[in-house]
């Protein structure tokens, strides 16, 4: 009778340990996945910010070139008169 109780208690302890380790492993895997997602999101946001800065710089350069062309055309027209 005692051996049956000890055996059942042993199985119960093993079952509880198995459940504990399974839950812990799943939580660690979820945490790693979550951290990877955050890292990817941050990298994407940084990339978008860099692209915005580059686009703004490009537009500014185009505006400068357009202004220089207009000034040259205006000077040329003034000289032609």
């Amino acid at each position: 009778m005692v051996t049956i109780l000890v055996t059942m208690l042993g199985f119960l302890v093993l079952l509880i340990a198995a459940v504990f380790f399974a839950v812990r492993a799943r939580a660690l895997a979820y945490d790693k996945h979550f951290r990877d997602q955050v890292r990817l999101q941050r990298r994407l946001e940084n990339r978008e910010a860099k692209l915005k800065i580059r686009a703004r710089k490009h537009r500014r350069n185009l505006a400068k070139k357009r202004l220089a062309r207009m000034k040259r055309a205006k000077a040329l027209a003034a000289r032609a008169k």
Side-chain angles (χ1 to χ4, degrees):
M1 182 72 180
V2 174
T3 56
I4 294 172
L5 288 176
V6 170
T7 306
M8 287 178 62
L9 187 65
F11 279 129
L12 186 63
V13 168
L14 286 175
L15 180 68
I16 291 171
V19 169
F20 170 76
F21 284 119
V23 168
R24 186 166 164 242
R26 185 170 177 170
L28 288 174
Y30 177 76
D31 185 45
K32 183 182 183 316
H33 174 72
F34 182 73
R35 274 187 280 130
D36 287 348
Q37 289 298 317
V38 168
R39 191 167 42 89
L40 288 173
Q41 183 67 25
R42 194 172 299 133
R43 190 187 315 169
L44 186 66
E45 288 169 359
N46 287 343
R47 189 166 155 229
E48 288 174 354
K50 283 181 184 177
L51 287 175
K52 277 185 184 177
I53 290 170
R54 241 169 76 194
R56 197 179 319 139
K57 191 174 179 183
H58 183 64
R59 282 195 307 269
R60 194 167 54 232
N61 284 340
L62 288 179
K64 285 180 186 176
K65 287 180 181 179
R66 187 170 46 245
L67 185 64
R69 271 197 312 268
M70 285 170 52
K71 283 184 178 179
R72 277 197 307 268
K74 193 173 181 183
L76 191 64
R79 235 185 305 162
K81 283 185 178 180

